[in-house]
Each structure stands twice: as structure tokens, then as C-alpha cells.
């Protein structure tokens, strides 16, 4: 396999592990306060942490600038809004008949279907690529395994 | 019930949307600055929500462990990594790999120090399915993931047209 791809796969797996620990810590905060407060605090701390990183890290964005000049779409700055909204929706559905397990399972399905559709149609600046049979099988396996785990834990 | 099901599905779509948008910004300002934008915009948005509708949600209990406050630091790392990867691997592959590692890590965190029960067997079976999925995903060799990183950062319309038969 090509090295660049292998690296990105490894980074994606690291990102998933970081996400799991993050959710663990954020829900600890949410249990002592409220989901909304926890998300608000996490975003606030995140602003400070990313500001520190931006200041401390050497400027290395030059490589990314080799893109067509001109106005970058405004929506690309607004990724934080759907991200922040997530917490509110999750708080609503977890407290419904769906419970935590149902909410998690449906959120995973939503994410996977969105991912496939976003690639297939090339929306939001993604390169348009139809996932092949192997990719779909991989996604289905991860999804099934995740739902098995979620249901076994509930 | 149907309403809540749709809300939960929509929530998954929102998560994906957020990550794809950040991936797009990452191509311009780099992953770390994208993480700053994501958290700053999210913080302002949540401040408005709390200020307008949820002012009573601000009570905090006592005896909070330190790490409960530090989820945001991990969030910064997560958004940066994700914004770096999405333009390179695509949304579906990134999502399945991230979810896979997330589930496996959460199983590891959850089962730490817990006795083995019948549920453990089912959970391990689920984990095995996920691992096979990751292996399948990692071993799939496609044109779009075998390009040089420098080219990856630029959406090449010629390539894109060839990738879709």
C-alpha cells in the first residue's frame, strides 16, 4: 500500500481513539453539569488550546496555500455550528424512548450514509468518488460491529 | 417516535457535515487553524443558545476530576486530525475508520476493570467485525488514495472526472 495512504489511515484511527477519550471526559463533565454546559466548556477550552497551538507552532500553512486564489466560501468557516448543534439534538434523543443505545446507533447510521452520499455526489468540496463494493463492505462491517457493541452494552 | 428517530439520524448527518466542512477549510488554512475556527464558531453559537434559551443549565457540581475539564483539548486534536484526513481519504472512508477506532477504544475504556460476563463475548464479536472492516478498508487500493499528499490538497477536477466512471 502507498505510504501516504497508510499514514492517513493510521491518523484516522488515532483520531477515533482521541474522540472516544474526549467523549468520555466530556460526558464526565456533563454528568456534573448539563450536556450543553459541557459542550460549551469544551468549545471554550478548545478555543484556548487551539489558539495556543496556532501561536506556538511554526507557520506551516504555506503548502495549503497552493489552491486556487479567490474567495473561499463562507460556509467553510461554519463547521463549528452543526458540530455544536449535535450536543443539543443528542440530549433530546437520549432522553426519548430511543435511549442512549438507540441514539448512538442511529447517529452512526446517519454518519455512514452521509459519508457515502457526500463522496458519491462530491458535496462540500469533497472529491467526487463512488465508493466501490469493498468500501461498502468495510463500512457495513464497522457499522454492524458498532451496533452489536452498543446493543450488548445497553 | 419517528420524530426522535429522524432527529438522531439527522444528528449523524450533522456530525458528518461538520467534519466535511472542516476538511474543506483545512485545505485553505491548515488543520490547526481549522480547529481554532471550529471551536471559536461553535463557542459563539453555544454561548448564544445558552444565553437565549438555557440560562439555567449553568450549574456545575462539585468534586469534578481535572480531566473532565480537558475534553476540549482532545477536541482540538481530533478536529485537526480529521480536517487533515477527510480531503485525502474521502468522507466515507474517514468516517468508517474514525468510528471503528472510536468504538474499539470505548470498549477498551469501558471494560477496564470490569468482570467478564456473557455480554463480553458479544462485545468481542462486535469488535472482531469492526477489525475485519478496518482491515478491508485499509487494504482497498484506490486511485484517489494513492496520490501524493501535495496533490491531494488540491481538488483536481480532471482526476475527479476519471474517478467516477
Amino acid at each position: 500500500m502507498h505510504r501516504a495512504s497508510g499514514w492517513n489511515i493510521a491518523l484516522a484511527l488515532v483520531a477515533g481513539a482521541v474522540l472516544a477519550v474526549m467523549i468520555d471526559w466530556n460526558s464526565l463533565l456533563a454528568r456534573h453539569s448539563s450536556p450543553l454546559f459541557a459542550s460549551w466548556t469544551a468549545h471554550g477550552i478548545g478555543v484556548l488550546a487551539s489558539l495556543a497551538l496556532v501561536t506556538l507552532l511554526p507557520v506551516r500553512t504555506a503548502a495549503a496555500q497552493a489552491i486556487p486564489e479567490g474567495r473561499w466560501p463562507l460556509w467553510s468557516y461554519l463547521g463549528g455550528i452543526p458540530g455544536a448543534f449535535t450536543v443539543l439534538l443528542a440530549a433530546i434523543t437520549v432522553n426519548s424512548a430511543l435511549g442512549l443505545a438507540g441514539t448512538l446507533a442511529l447517529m452512526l447510521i446517519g454518519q455512514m450514509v452521509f459519508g457515502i452520499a457526500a463522496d458519491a455526489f462530491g458535496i462540500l468540496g469533497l472529491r467526487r468518488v463512488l465508493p466501490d463494493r469493498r468500501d461498502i463492505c468495510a463500512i457495513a462491517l464497522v457499522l454492524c460491529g458498532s451496533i452489536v457493541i452498543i446493543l450488548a452494552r445497553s | 417516535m419517528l420524530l426522535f428517530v429522524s432527529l438522531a439520524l439527522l444528528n449523524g448527518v450533522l456530525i458528518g457535515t461538520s467534519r466535511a466542512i472542516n476538511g474543506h477549510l483545512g485545505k485553505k488554512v491548515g488543520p490547526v487553524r481549522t480547529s481554532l475556527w471550529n471551536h471559536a464558531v461553535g463557542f459563539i453559537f453555544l454561548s448564544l443558545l445558552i444565553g437565549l434559551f438555557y440560562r439555567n443549565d449553568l450549574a456545575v457540581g462539585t468534586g469534578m476530576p481535572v480531566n473532565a475539564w480537558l475534553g476540549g483539548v482532545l477536541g482540538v486534536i481530533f478536529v485537526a486530525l480529521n480536517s487533515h484526513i477527510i480531503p485525502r481519504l474521502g468522507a466515507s472512508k474517514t468516517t468508517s475508520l474514525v468510528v471503528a477506532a472510536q468504538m474499539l477504544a470505548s470498549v477498551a475504556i469501558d471494560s477496564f476493570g470490569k468482570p467478564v460476563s456473557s455480554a463480553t463475548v458479544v462485545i468481542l464479536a462486535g469488535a472482531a467485525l469492526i477489525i475485519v472492516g478496518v482491515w478491508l478498508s485499509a487494504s482497498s487500493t484506490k486511485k484517489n488514495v494513492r496520490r501524493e499528499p501535495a496533490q491531494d490538497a488540491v481538488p483536481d477536477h480532471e482526476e475527479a472526472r476519471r474517478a467516477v466512471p
Side-chain angles (χ1 to χ4, degrees):
Chain A
M1 194 196 311
H2 197 274
R3 259 175 64 205
S5 166
W7 266 112
N8 289 323
I9 287 167
L11 284 178
L13 294 174
V14 171
V18 169
L19 186 64
V21 181
M22 182 196 90
I23 291 173
D24 194 49
W25 291 3
N26 282 344
S27 43
L28 197 61
L29 181 57
R31 253 177 282 149
H32 285 81
S33 53
S34 68
L36 202 57
F37 176 84
S39 178
W40 184 62
T41 310
H43 277 83
I45 302 278
V47 171
L48 299 179
S50 50
L51 259 182
L53 271 183
V54 166
T55 323
L56 295 176
L57 287 180
V59 183
R60 211 184 56 87
T61 50
Q65 303 295 356
I67 327 166
E69 282 299 315
R71 287 175 65 85
W72 204 249
L74 181 67
W75 56 257
S76 63
Y77 291 90
L78 300 181
I81 291 183
F85 205 57
T86 295
V87 181
L88 198 64
L89 279 186
I92 293 171
T93 52
V94 165
N95 291 312
S96 76
L98 290 176
L100 182 63
T103 300
L104 287 177
L106 288 167
M107 278 168 67
L108 284 189
I109 295 172
Q111 274 183 64
M112 300 291 196
V113 171
F114 172 84
I116 295 171
D119 281 342
F121 295 108
I123 58 170
L124 299 176
L126 287 162
R127 199 181 307 122
R128 193 170 166 216
V129 181
L130 287 176
D132 59 20
R133 212 176 306 152
R134 210 186 169 99
D135 291 331
I136 301 287
C137 286
I139 292 168
L141 279 168
V142 171
L143 189 60
C144 290
S146 304
I147 291 178
V148 165
I149 290 172
I150 290 168
L151 294 180
R153 282 203 295 217
S154 66
Chain B
M1 190 64 183
L2 192 62
L3 170 73
F4 292 119
V5 169
S6 339
L7 280 182
L9 285 171
L10 171 71
N11 207 359
V13 172
L14 284 182
I15 293 175
T17 309
S18 173
R19 293 178 187 170
I21 293 177
N22 283 332
H24 190 251
L25 182 62
K27 289 193 286 192
K28 185 180 187 195
V29 303
V32 179
R33 271 159 217 273
T34 297
S35 200
L36 174 58
W37 274 103
N38 175 79
H39 286 87
V41 171
F43 184 72
I44 294 169
F45 178 70
L46 286 171
S47 302
L48 285 176
L49 265 187
I50 289 177
L52 290 175
F53 306 112
Y54 296 94
R55 253 171 282 179
N56 301 328
D57 271 15
L58 292 180
V60 188
T62 50
M64 191 108 65
V66 182
N67 62 327
W69 294 104
L70 298 180
V73 177
L74 296 180
V76 168
I77 300 169
F78 173 75
V79 173
L81 283 174
N82 193 73
S83 313
H84 171 84
I85 302 156
I86 276 215
R88 291 166 171 82
L89 293 185
S92 53
K93 205 168 184 136
T94 306
T95 307
S96 58
L97 290 169
V98 165
V99 166
Q102 182 193 347
M103 290 306 300
L104 294 176
S106 77
V107 165
I109 294 170
D110 270 7
S111 45
F112 199 71
K114 274 191 195 149
V116 176
S117 69
S118 58
T120 315
V121 181
V122 183
I123 289 174
L124 286 179
L129 284 178
I130 294 176
I131 291 169
V132 175
V134 170
W135 170 78
L136 203 62
S137 182
S139 62
S140 92
T141 45
K142 246 193 303 178
K143 254 192 184 136
N144 67 310
V145 294
R146 282 193 288 134
R147 298 195 298 155
E148 292 304 316
Q151 278 179 312
D152 271 326
V154 187
D156 181 339
H157 298 296
E158 273 308 305
E159 282 282 336
R161 224 177 298 143
R162 255 179 277 139
V164 180

